[in-house]
Amino acid sequence: MSNSSRMRDIFRSKTSRALDRIEDPREMLDDSYDQQVKLLQQVRQALAEVATAKKRIDLQGQELGARYQRLAAQAQEALDGGREDLARAALERRALIERQVANLQQQYLGMQRQTEQLQDRERQLSEQVAAFRIEKEAIKATYSASEAQVRANEAVAGLGTSMHDVGTSLERARDRVAQMQARAQATDEMLASGALKDLTAPADADIERQLAAMQAKSDIDRQLEAMKGTGASAAGGAGRPGGAEDAGEWLSIGQGPTGS
């Protein structure tokens, strides 16, 4: 496989893995869940803001209610003291406060309805988010199990990018080993034929090697002639009469016959 082909395979593999991550349903489910949680938080924040404004209106209403009661007492006290004009002024202020209280009451009731609506939305959304989370985790677990099964099946079948890379590396290693073995055999043959010279060998080593081969052949021929003439076993391999063996007899192997 050429380098350009390997680079294309690597780029294609990385691109495929990137697309798989983008299209991973687990990540999409997590993103959807995060969006729902953020929306739920916004609803709860709005509910807290409405509750704060409602409480502020309630405090204003309580303050105006206290003034309303106090002005009634003051008008009665002024009237009892013969100050009808002062009693009229207190009643006029009391009427103004009454209109302000009526306005606050409308605002308070509107916020009360808004609070109830937000509470209902918050409750529904909380249930939806909880149900979605359970279903999300179930789908993610199923997808992860299926993904693991696919990878295991691909590994068993020898498919997939990683197994393909392993097979390619193994094939290249086998080719390199075969090439190196052929090269070693070729250099051995060339050394044996003299086409290559062993620079580390002593001078005239080639002549000595050929002479040693001639001597070995001559020894074999001589042993064959001796065996044909006497019917004895191979030179240097006969035992002593009676089957007794000398413990140091092996030291004489290759030293020629001990007696003529």
Side-chain angles (χ1 to χ4, degrees), residues 71-253:
L71 285 172
Q74 290 176 351
Q76 184 62 45
E77 182 179 356
L79 185 61
D80 292 341
R83 295 291 306 273
E84 184 176 348
D85 56 336
L86 188 58
R88 183 181 294 276
L91 292 176
E92 290 175 354
R93 292 182 183 180
R94 191 168 182 266
L96 179 61
I97 291 176
E98 187 174 351
R99 290 193 296 270
Q100 292 177 351
V101 169
N103 187 23
L104 287 178
Q105 288 175 349
Q106 293 179 359
Q107 296 182 20
Y108 185 84
L109 293 176
M111 289 187 177
Q112 180 66 30
R113 288 190 297 269
Q114 189 176 8
T115 299
E116 293 175 355
Q117 293 175 356
L118 286 175
Q119 287 176 344
D120 186 56
R121 297 294 183 273
E122 191 272 340
R123 182 172 56 257
Q124 293 178 355
L125 188 56
S126 297
E127 294 175 355
Q128 292 177 1
V129 170
F132 182 82
R133 181 180 63 82
I134 295 174
E135 186 175 3
K136 171 181 73 73
E137 295 300 329
I139 294 176
K140 287 175 60 178
T142 303
Y143 183 85
S144 298
S146 300
E147 184 182 37
Q149 183 176 1
V150 169
R151 290 180 178 176
N153 293 340
E154 289 180 349
V156 172
L159 303 176
T161 303
S162 60
M163 295 304 298
H164 176 72
D165 293 341
V166 171
T168 303
S169 300
L170 184 60
E171 182 179 357
R172 292 185 62 193
R174 289 172 178 168
D175 291 341
R176 292 296 300 274
V177 170
Q179 292 175 4
M180 191 58 65
Q181 288 177 340
R183 183 176 178 183
Q185 184 177 0
T187 53
D188 285 342
E189 294 177 354
M190 295 177 69
L191 283 173
S193 65
L196 290 180
K197 185 177 180 180
D198 187 1
L199 299 179
T200 63
D204 303 327
D206 56 339
I207 297 177
E208 293 179 359
R209 183 174 62 254
Q210 296 181 29
L211 290 175
M214 291 175 59
Q215 181 65 34
K217 184 177 182 300
S218 177
D219 290 342
I220 296 298
D221 293 340
R222 179 179 56 79
Q223 293 179 27
L224 287 173
E225 291 298 328
M227 292 173 64
K228 291 177 182 179
T230 62
S233 59
R240 305 177 78 181
E245 295 184 357
D246 187 356
E249 185 177 359
W250 65 273
L251 294 174
S252 64
I253 296 177

